[in-house]
Amino acid sequence: MAYSIYFRYNEKKYKLPVNPEEIKRSRVLNVETYQVLKTGQVSIPSYCALEEFSFEAEFPSQDYHYVNSGAKADADYYEKMFKKAQKNMTPVQFIASNDINDDISVRVLVKSVEAVEKAGEEGDKYLSLTLMEYKAPSRRYVAVQTLEGTVKQEDTAAAPETNPAVTENKTHTVQSGDTLWGIAKTYYGNGAQYTKIVSANPGIKNPNLIYPGQVFTIPA
């Protein structure tokens, strides 16, 4: 089956003139680790990173016999497109099809472009590309001028409300089944913040042993 790789940018289709030998795909799960007293480390997945694609391909300057049908033999033509998309921070559509496995069709940002010209192959270029899956932000941001400089701030129309769970003089009465980790998760959104509660309550001798009816101060 024919293997084809395309990019769509500004309503134009760019078919690679020579297919890369391989396309590397990678995705990382971000994991936070915390030390819990007397029980050792715990690992908590926080988010799955965006997928990255990377490959190197030849971009000939002449119409050699191995150039893919329908592709242009013009190395500068492709390099300019990738660098323009990168400079403008504009997503492009990345499509790789082999008619066997699931096709790749995803919007990406051109994270890096590296061009190499080799002796004896004047005019031809080898481009190494790193592409990152594009995901638009869910909130709008506006620039706010301050005395210290320009900072980025969420648009007030989209800004979330402050969490009313933590206020001055807030207390929590321990219920059956409560843990300090769970209490911190409730008030701060992060169980690892339980140390703030321990510091504010000298009566907690062992963070692993709390009892129904105890009243804890929840620091803001």
Side-chain angles (χ1 to χ4, degrees):
M1 296 290 182
Y3 191 77
S4 300
I5 297 176
Y6 303 87
F7 287 87
R8 291 188 183 277
Y9 178 62
N10 283 347
E11 301 182 356
K12 292 179 65 175
K13 182 172 75 173
Y14 297 78
K15 182 178 181 180
L16 293 198
V18 180
N19 293 336
E21 292 185 2
E22 63 179 11
I23 298 176
K24 182 179 178 181
R25 303 177 66 170
S26 61
R27 188 192 296 272
V28 177
L29 175 65
N30 190 74
V31 179
E32 297 179 2
T33 59
Y34 301 97
Q35 186 72 27
V36 179
L37 295 177
K38 294 187 178 182
T39 61
Q41 279 192 324
V42 295
S43 57
I44 300 176
S46 56
Y47 65 88
C48 196
L50 299 173
E51 191 167 18
E52 282 196 359
F53 306 84
S54 58
F55 63 85
E56 178 185 311
E58 178 186 357
F59 291 80
S61 60
Q62 302 179 44
D63 193 10
Y64 300 123
H65 66 89
Y66 54 81
V67 171
N68 290 326
S69 175
K72 292 188 67 171
D74 185 344
D76 292 338
Y77 173 75
Y78 294 94
E79 184 180 10
K80 287 178 181 177
M81 181 273 290
F82 289 125
K83 289 188 174 180
K84 184 177 180 180
Q86 181 187 47
K87 181 179 180 180
N88 294 338
M89 296 181 284
T90 306
V92 300
Q93 190 74 21
F94 173 46
I95 304 168
S97 173
N98 60 12
D99 295 329
I100 300 175
N101 301 324
D102 290 340
D103 294 344
I104 298 172
S105 181
V106 61
R107 295 182 79 196
V108 297
L109 295 171
V110 181
K111 188 175 180 181
S112 69
V113 185
E114 181 180 348
V116 175
E117 296 189 52
K118 300 181 180 180
E121 301 181 41
E122 286 76 10
D124 299 343
K125 294 184 179 181
Y126 292 82
L127 299 185
S128 296
L129 298 169
T130 301
L131 312 169
M132 175 172 281
E133 179 185 357
Y134 173 71
K135 186 175 182 181
S138 58
R139 295 187 177 93
R140 292 183 297 128
Y141 292 84
V142 295
V144 178
Q145 190 69 35
T146 67
L147 293 177
E148 292 77 16
T150 301
V151 297
K152 197 173 279 187
Q153 174 177 303
E154 285 189 9
D155 190 333
T156 54
E161 295 182 0
T162 56
N163 181 8
V166 182
T167 59
E168 289 293 334
N169 303 317
K170 186 75 175 182
T171 61
H172 176 86
T173 301
V174 178
Q175 306 296 318
S176 178
D178 276 353
T179 63
L180 281 177
W181 185 280
I183 295 170
K185 181 73 173 178
T186 298
Y187 290 101
Y188 302 114
N190 184 348
Q193 295 292 323
Y194 76 92
T195 54
K196 293 177 63 174
I197 301 174
V198 173
S199 298
N201 294 272
I204 300 177
K205 304 302 181 183
N206 185 341
N208 292 316
L209 297 175
I210 60 175
Y211 307 96
Q214 287 181 294
V215 178
F216 294 150
T217 296
I218 307 298

